[in-house]
Amino acid sequence: MRIDSIKNGIVIDHIAAGKAKEVYDALDLGKLDCQVAIIMNCRSNKMGKKDIIKIDNDFDVDLDVLGYIDPNITVSIIKNGETVEKKKLQLPEKIINVAKCKNPRCITSVERDLDQVFYLANREKRIYRCYYCESKAEKKKD
């Protein structure tokens, strides 16, 4: 299988195999008016298998969202067919509207316009807690 290289855009690489759809949805890539290629289960010397997303346009990628999903993801900025910048991610200290608080008594359950804010409570275990009620973060479902 051959996927053409891109001239100007972004390559989101080293996505854990099977997580490309989650990244696609979290970044709202379906709303972009450009080509987006999702390559799943490609061979990788480093990871065994991995997913890759190629976006054939300049796009402001939310690195916090990607870092929350998987801090091992790399983001490459492509200009004129060359990689001009490669960004390594890390777990963000705070995420906003990326996860949803599951506590029915949390203020965010009552105040629908209130942002869902979580802070990194345990870096080793990748645990985020609600800023308002301390509940553990859960992936957001729309």
Side-chain angles (χ1 to χ4, degrees):
M1 177 179 287
R2 178 165 163 73
I3 305 293
D4 290 336
S5 60
I6 57 177
K7 281 277 194 205
N8 296 296
I10 295 169
V11 176
I12 303 171
D13 198 357
H14 303 108
I15 304 168
K19 285 205 167 210
K21 179 76 168 108
E22 182 181 349
V23 170
Y24 183 90
D25 292 339
L27 295 177
D28 281 334
L29 297 180
K31 294 181 180 177
L32 293 179
D33 189 26
C34 64
Q35 292 182 42
V36 177
I38 298 175
I39 305 136
M40 298 182 76
N41 296 316
C42 358
R43 277 177 267 144
S44 167
N45 293 334
K46 189 169 146 183
M47 300 173 66
K49 286 184 179 181
K50 68 178 180 177
D51 293 353
I52 302 170
I53 297 176
K54 292 185 175 187
I55 304 165
D56 195 23
N57 202 345
D58 203 11
F59 173 68
D60 189 21
V61 177
D62 190 335
L63 299 178
D64 285 346
V65 169
L66 292 176
Y68 173 68
I69 292 171
D70 183 353
N72 298 313
I73 291 172
T74 56
V75 177
S76 298
I77 310 299
I78 312 297
K79 302 272 188 215
N80 297 318
E82 301 288 325
T83 301
V84 295
E85 185 178 2
K86 192 172 252 187
K87 299 178 182 189
K88 295 274 186 189
L89 303 181
Q90 58 186 3
L91 286 173
E93 292 298 320
K94 179 170 74 170
I95 55 173
I96 300 172
N97 297 326
V98 176
K100 182 171 175 42
C101 186
K102 63 183 178 188
N103 180 356
R105 293 190 177 123
C106 182
I107 188 70
T108 59
S109 295
V110 179
E111 298 289 332
R112 299 285 181 191
D113 293 337
L114 197 59
D115 285 334
Q116 300 273 337
V117 181
F118 290 83
Y119 67 92
L120 182 59
N122 185 318
R123 183 171 296 281
E124 290 76 34
K125 294 181 180 177
R126 294 177 55 183
I127 295 174
Y128 284 82
R129 297 221 171 258
C130 178
Y131 175 79
Y132 306 103
C133 73
E134 296 289 318
S135 290
K136 193 174 169 182
E138 189 175 273
K139 297 279 191 222
K140 190 175 181 179
K141 293 181 173 82
D142 292 326

